[in-house]
Structures are given as C-alpha cells and as structure tokens.
Amino acid sequence: MPLTGGGGGVLQVMKTYHMYNADSISAQSKLKEAEKQEEKQIGKSVKQEDRQTPRSPDSTSNVRIEEKHVRRSSVKKIEKMKEKRQAKYTENKLKAIKARNEYLLALEATNASVFKYYIHDLSDLIDCCDLGYHASLNRALRTFLSAELNLEQSKHEGLDAIENAVENLDATSDKQRLMEMYNNVFCPPMKFEFQPHMGDMASQLCAQQPVQSELVQRCQQLQSRLSTLKIENEEVKKTMEATLQTIQDIVTVEDFDVSDCFQYSNSMESVKSTVSETFMSKPSIAKRRANQQETEQFYFTVRGSTPFKDWL
C-alpha cells in the first residue's frame, strides 16, 4: 500500500484501516465462538462418560467404542474449525496492523505537508509575487522626488512626507503585517488526528515482529530518498539564490537622479524634452528590462522545480 499525501489520500487509508480492523474483530469473534464450542464439546464428553451405566460386558464395550468414535470425530471437526479461524484471525490481525501503520504514516506525512505549506511555502509565494515591487516603487518615487526637488515651485511639505514614506518602505515588515492582518488565511489549520476504530486505541506505529522488518526497510528507503532530495534541493537552492541576487541587482539600480534634466531650464516643457531625449530613450533601459524579465522567468521556473514538491 503506497504512502499517500493529502486529505483525500488520508481518508482512503483510514477507510482501508477501518475495513481491515473490522475484519480482524470479526475473525476474533468467530475464533472465540469456536473455542467455546470446543470447551462445550469436551465438557459434554466428560459428562457422558460419567453417566454411563454398566451393561453386559460385550454390549457395553461396543457402545463405548462407538460413542468414543463419535465424540473424537466431533472434537476433531471442532479443532479443525478452530485452527482455520485462528489462522484467519492471525492473517486479518496482521493486515489490520499494517493498515493502521500506513494510516499513521499518512497522517504524519499529511500534517508535515500542511505545516510546510502554511509556515514556509506561503511566505515564499508572497516573496515570489512581491519580488522587485518595493525596489521598483522606491526607484519610481525617488525619481519623482528628484524631479520635484529641482523645481523652483516645489511643494516641500508634500515631498518631505513622500520621502519619509519611501524611506520607511520595508518588504519584510509589510509581508509580516499582511500575514498578521489576515491571520485566519495564513495560520496553519489543526492537525489531522488519528481516528481509532471500534476500540482500537493504539495511536503509534506498531513494530511487532511480523511488520518490524518491513518498517526497517521503509525507514531505510525514506532515508536514502531524503539524502538524494537534500542534495538536489541544495543545488536548486544555490541556483535560486544566485538568480535572486541577480534580480535584486537589476531592480535596485540607483538611476532615480534626474538632476541632469534641469541643467538648461526649469520649465516643464524643457524637462519633458530632456527626459525624452536622454533618460527614457537610453537603449540600456529596454535591454535591462528584457534581461530582468528573462531572469525573473528563470527564477520562477527554478522556484517551481524544487525536488520536495512531489515528495508526498
């Protein structure tokens, strides 16, 4: 039975566990019934031997032999039935233990996946969507400030307020404030709890002899897979960090100073003409935007190919 992640997978594993556990309980009831029949038959045989009355030697001997033969045949049938039911109960009990182990493993894996999503992945997704926004906004507003501060009739009070807002831009604190504001969205839900079935209160992995070797093999396989995934994840992480640094270098270029546009005249027409001829018409602007878009696309591709995404 494969390890399955997600709520639907846990539900399926739980149903399988309940089914096998019900079969185990049913087989146990049948075994107890067979044991009672065996005890009843043995007691009946003892009573019949005690109540036998003496007869003629020949007739008494024949009757006793015949009655013993019938009792032995009946006892053997009950013993065979008991053996079959004992074997069936052992088989069903082993299946129930394995199914319960799979259920507990699925619960653990699902809870870990949900925890990782709400604690780590959501924050990373916000970072991906927010990448470059604060830096671009910083550059745009600083460009606006540089132009306005060079005007003779600048509104100093308003510009000071905007400059103060720009200085306080902080992507990390804004993300934290957003997550705190919508705590019901970003807070991980309650863990999936083990649901015992029909009095089965064992809520931990069972390592009895029939399944111990299987669990050891499973543990070894998982450790080997985790080692491989860790190596792959480290490589992806290095590539991602290098790409992220490249993007940050692109979006944090300090090109907001436009004081050169005001060296001839302070009129708005002169500003527009100078900006269109110099600042906005630089070939490097279009090339830098193209490089930024290509780098961002590569970053999202690497971000989405993390080795742990298909772990469950």
Side-chain angles (χ1 to χ4, degrees), residues 65-197:
I65 292 174
E66 183 178 354
E67 288 178 350
K68 286 182 179 180
H69 177 73
V70 172
R71 288 196 299 270
R72 289 177 181 176
S73 176
S74 177
V75 171
K76 287 183 179 180
K77 289 181 180 180
I78 294 175
E79 288 178 350
K80 288 183 179 179
M81 179 179 65
K82 178 185 174 183
E83 291 176 357
K84 290 181 179 180
R85 292 186 178 181
Q86 179 67 50
K88 188 66 175 179
Y89 168 70
T90 302
E91 178 184 356
N92 290 338
K93 185 64 176 179
L94 181 60
K95 289 181 179 180
I97 291 174
K98 290 182 178 181
R100 185 178 62 212
N101 287 343
E102 290 294 336
Y103 179 29
L104 292 169
L105 288 172
L107 280 177
E108 191 67 20
T110 301
N111 288 329
S113 178
V114 172
F115 179 85
K116 178 179 179 294
Y117 174 77
Y118 279 92
I119 300 302
H120 301 290
D121 294 346
L122 277 179
S123 177
D124 292 342
L125 288 173
I126 294 176
D127 290 339
C128 290
C129 297
D130 182 55
L131 185 62
Y133 172 78
H134 288 77
S136 299
L137 181 61
N138 187 292
R139 289 166 51 204
L141 293 177
R142 283 187 177 276
T143 301
F144 171 75
L145 288 172
S146 179
E148 290 293 327
L149 290 174
N150 283 275
L151 292 174
E152 292 180 355
Q153 300 297 327
S154 63
K155 299 179 180 180
H156 296 289
E157 292 182 358
L159 293 177
D160 290 340
I162 296 176
E163 185 173 19
N164 182 61
V166 174
E167 294 295 340
N168 292 327
L169 283 174
D170 188 350
T172 302
S173 63
D174 286 349
K175 180 183 71 173
Q176 183 65 29
R177 190 178 298 111
L178 173 67
M179 298 182 71
E180 291 175 355
M181 185 179 300
Y182 299 96
N183 184 58
N184 58 329
V185 176
F186 298 103
C187 182
M190 296 179 64
K191 292 184 177 181
F192 291 100
E193 297 292 341
F194 174 73
Q195 300 296 326
H197 181 255

Side-chain angles (χ1 to χ4, degrees), residues 3-57:
L3 185 63
T4 309
V10 171
L11 180 61
Q12 182 61 38
V13 176
M14 182 184 71
K15 288 181 178 179
T16 303
Y17 154 65
H18 287 180
M19 179 184 68
Y20 283 143
N21 197 64
D23 292 341
S24 176
I25 293 174
S26 176
Q28 185 180 24
S29 299
K30 292 180 179 180
L31 175 61
K32 290 182 178 179
E33 181 181 353
E35 291 175 349
K36 289 180 180 179
Q37 291 181 2
E38 182 182 32
E39 292 175 359
K40 184 177 179 181
Q41 183 63 34
I42 294 174
K44 184 178 179 181
S45 299
V46 172
K47 289 181 179 180
Q48 287 179 352
E49 290 178 359
D50 294 337
R51 289 183 298 180
Q52 284 180 350
T53 57
R55 300 181 183 176
S56 61

Side-chain angles (χ1 to χ4, degrees), residues 113 116 121 229 233 301 303-312:
S113 178
K116 178 179 179 294
D121 294 346
L229 287 175
N233 191 63
T301 302
R303 192 61 153 172
S305 63
T306 174
F308 284 100
K309 69 175 183 176
D310 295 327
W311 167 236
L312 295 177

Side-chain angles (χ1 to χ4, degrees), residues 197-229:
H197 181 255
M198 296 185 70
D200 180 15
M201 299 307 296
S203 60
Q204 297 180 350
L205 295 179
C206 181
Q208 296 180 2
Q209 189 58 38
V211 295
Q212 183 178 10
S213 58
E214 180 179 340
L215 287 177
V216 172
Q217 183 179 4
R218 172 68 66 84
C219 180
Q220 292 174 349
Q221 292 174 350
L222 292 177
Q223 288 178 344
S224 176
R225 180 58 178 157
L226 280 173
S227 299
T228 303
L229 287 175

